Amino acid sequence: MVIEIPDLFDSAEVREIRSALGAADWADGRATAGHRAAKVKENEQLPLDHPLAKQLAERVLARLAQTPLFIAAALPARVLQPRFSRYDGRGHYGNHVDNAIFPIPGTGEHLRSDVSSTLFLSDPEEYDGGELVIEDMFGTHTAKLPAGSLIVYPGSSLHRVMPVTRGVRFVSFFWTQSFVASPEKRRLMFELDGAIQSVATDHPEHASIDTLTQVYHNLLRQWSAT
């Protein structure tokens, strides 16, 4: 399941974030890739311990917590600190699958990457190439979204970033451990939640709302891993 969430940040907020990123010191992105992924990765990343990286990551996490569509799609149990990268001069990231398990810095704990997310911080007209291509059980999806928009997709998917041939592509990316690990079950939960919201909007007094809500939460109890 691939979900696009428009306007996670508005244009003024994106300009502020971009201004800060434009003045930052960047590092080789291959330092944070797995052994195989490092062979097909060419970009720059803001070091995780950089003060700006931590400040912007907290800002992204706070916004996600206020975004019902993200919560419905990801059913987040934990979200790993968002990271920031830039692509230019034919920067790219070839076909790869994200690591299944990530350490949570400073905790000794680990997070399972059920859901991957990319927050676009450059508008499509600012760069050529740089499309995010996702291949999952539901087909191939290509995304090059407006700045401030987020795309959410299965962490188990094969995906790539096409070479950037003009301009600079800025993004934030992160992983979520979901209460529901299965992408098929998460899709059913998302569709059921959408149906409940639709019925509640069109027929707020309909008796089926309580029943559907009961089914939703009982499925969540059955399928969740806490």
Side-chain angles (χ1 to χ4, degrees):
M1 180 176 67
V2 177
I3 302 295
E4 295 181 8
I5 302 176
D7 302 321
L8 188 72
F9 289 96
D10 64 29
S11 57
E13 292 173 313
V14 171
R15 284 195 300 271
E16 182 184 346
I17 293 170
R18 283 279 302 278
S19 177
L21 291 175
D25 295 322
W26 296 81
D28 190 333
R30 287 173 292 189
T32 59
H35 174 71
R36 185 169 180 81
K39 297 179 180 180
V40 296
K41 184 178 186 181
E42 186 174 332
N43 69 0
E44 294 178 303
Q45 285 182 206
L46 202 58
L48 277 175
D49 58 356
H50 193 293
L52 179 62
K54 294 181 178 181
Q55 174 191 337
L56 293 180
E58 290 174 0
R59 189 170 180 177
V60 173
L61 290 172
R63 186 59 53 85
L64 293 173
Q66 301 170 357
T67 305
L69 185 55
F70 173 77
I71 295 170
L75 295 173
R78 293 189 292 182
V79 182
L80 197 65
Q81 177 184 334
R83 307 175 183 202
F84 297 85
S85 64
R86 83 188 285 278
Y87 294 75
D88 67 358
R90 301 199 66 80
H92 65 279
Y93 200 163
N95 273 342
H96 65 284
V97 175
D98 293 332
N99 290 346
I101 303 293
F102 285 91
I104 302 175
T107 67
E109 299 179 354
H110 292 77
L111 175 145
R112 188 183 63 242
S113 60
D114 299 318
V115 180
S116 298
S117 300
T118 297
L119 170 62
F120 289 79
L121 295 171
S122 297
D123 278 315
E125 61 269 18
E126 294 185 73
Y127 60 100
D128 292 335
E131 296 87 354
L132 173 63
V133 182
I134 304 161
E135 299 177 11
D136 66 5
M137 65 185 70
F138 304 110
T140 299
H141 314 267
T142 301
K144 188 174 180 178
L145 304 184
S149 297
L150 181 74
I151 189 166
V152 178
Y153 51 100
S156 56
S157 65
L158 186 69
H159 52 281
R160 60 188 177 274
V161 177
M162 302 301 292
V164 173
T165 58
R166 179 190 64 85
V168 182
R169 175 189 190 263
F170 287 96
V171 297
S172 176
F173 61 99
F174 53 91
W175 297 277
T176 300
Q177 180 169 318
S178 176
F179 281 113
V180 177
S182 163
E184 297 94 339
K185 292 176 179 177
R186 266 198 322 275
R187 181 185 180 99
L188 289 173
M189 296 296 293
F190 180 76
E191 292 174 346
L192 179 56
D193 181 65
I196 293 169
Q197 299 303 321
S198 180
V199 173
T201 298
D202 296 339
H203 307 283
E205 303 302 325
H206 202 287
S208 66
I209 295 173
D210 289 337
T211 301
L212 290 170
T213 302
Q214 179 186 29
V215 171
Y216 178 93
H217 286 286
N218 284 337
L219 285 175
L220 187 57
R221 286 188 184 92
Q222 182 177 337
W223 290 346
S224 66
T226 58

